[in-house]
């Protein structure tokens, strides 16, 4: 990745003012968390050509082959209580949809909670991590996202072939990782500022429009048990409101459960 090409297309004031492109790292999230303790500023960005230990949600790994994706983490230091920062992941998902649409002309959809999907395949995952000081205040948030950009269908390992895809495959032309990175960061900064300003409704509405889980039969997976439900709504904290066959309604949050479609990936 050419750092200068990214900087040339970047129109941010804070995010990416400190930007590193690493050749190889365990995980850009882990790297930024280590550097955050050494005083890295708000808005710092770490990108890697490849990750040897890319991490996903729920303890999963994130496939990060060399030169094929955008593996990126952003350090944010908002002055809010930790509870208030929890929603940031969902805002980030909308921001990433905006950035991908800007760079490619095609808008991904969101599989609740935070997977971005194009052409029925996962093309991006988001992992937000926060650190809380001993006095209970928020020290920092790291928003990490991995976008599959140039992989062709035959390149995926067997276990990912059915569920993973790339942006280039979905839009049917090669997408520049530098341009895409810049648009993702431009978009993240805009959304971050609106989050600070409390413009929740706008992003809730957009999230509901983008969310392909809504209006579908889904399985709620909790403690290894799967239950069939219907995804009815997204509540004001981006929780998924589901209805069980007996009429019972419940809001599930990303911390508690994962949701799988009844047929195939979605
Ligand atoms: C998921 O799919 O569950 C989330 C995947 C998040 C992957 C990104 S890649 C950059 C950053 N570094 C990591 O180790 N993870 C995130």
């Amino acid at each position: 990745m050419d750092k200068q090409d990214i900087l040339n297309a970047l129109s941010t004031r804070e995010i990416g003012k400190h930007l590193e492109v690493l050749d190889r790292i365990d995980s850009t999230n882990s790297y930024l968390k280590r550097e955050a303790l050494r005083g890295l500023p708000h808005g710092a960005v770490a990108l890697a050509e490849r990750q040897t230990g890319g991490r996903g949600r729920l303890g999963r790994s994130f496939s990060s082959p060399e030169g094929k994706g955008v593996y990126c983490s952003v350090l944010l230091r908002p002055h809010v209580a930790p509870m208030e920062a929890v929603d940031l992941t969902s805002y980030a998902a909308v921001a990433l949809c905006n950035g991908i649409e800007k760079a490619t002309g095609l808008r991904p959809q969101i599989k609740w909670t935070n997977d971005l999907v194009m052409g029925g395949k996962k093309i991006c995952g988001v992992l937000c991590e926060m650190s809380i000081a001993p006095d209970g205040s928020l020290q920092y948030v790291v928003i990490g996202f991995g976008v599959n950009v140039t992989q062709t269908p035959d390149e995926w390992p067997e276990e990912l072939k059915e569920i993973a895809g790339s942006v280039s495959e979905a839009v049917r032309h090669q997408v520049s990782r530098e341009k895409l990175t810049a648009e993702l960061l431009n978009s993240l900064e805009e959304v971050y500022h609106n989050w600070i300003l409390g413009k929740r409704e706008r992003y809730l509405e957009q999230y509901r429009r983008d969310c392909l889980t809504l209006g579908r039969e889904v399985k709620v997976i909790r403690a290894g048990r799967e239950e069939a439900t219907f995804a009815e709504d997204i509540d004001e904290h981006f929780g998924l409101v589901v209805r069980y066959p007996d009429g019972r309604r419940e809001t599930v949050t990303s911390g508690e459960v994962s949701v799988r479609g009844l047929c195939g990936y979605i």
Side-chain angles (χ1 to χ4, degrees), residues 17 53 65 99 119 130 149 165 172 201 215 225 232 249 256:
K17 288 295 122 182
M130 62 171 89
V149 184
R172 292 168 191 275
E201 269 316 307
R225 259 193 72 218
E232 272 194 347
R249 284 177 104 225
E256 304 175 328

Side-chain angles (χ1 to χ4, degrees), residues 240-254:
L240 186 69
V241 182
V242 296
R243 184 164 40 78
Y244 291 91
D246 62 7
R248 204 163 30 97
R249 284 177 104 225
E250 183 186 25
T251 301
V252 295
T253 60
S254 58

Side-chain angles (χ1 to χ4, degrees), residues 125-140:
V126 188
L127 177 66
C128 277
E129 299 181 281
M130 62 171 89
S131 170
I132 299 171
D135 67 0
S137 64
L138 180 64
Q139 274 179 320
Y140 63 78

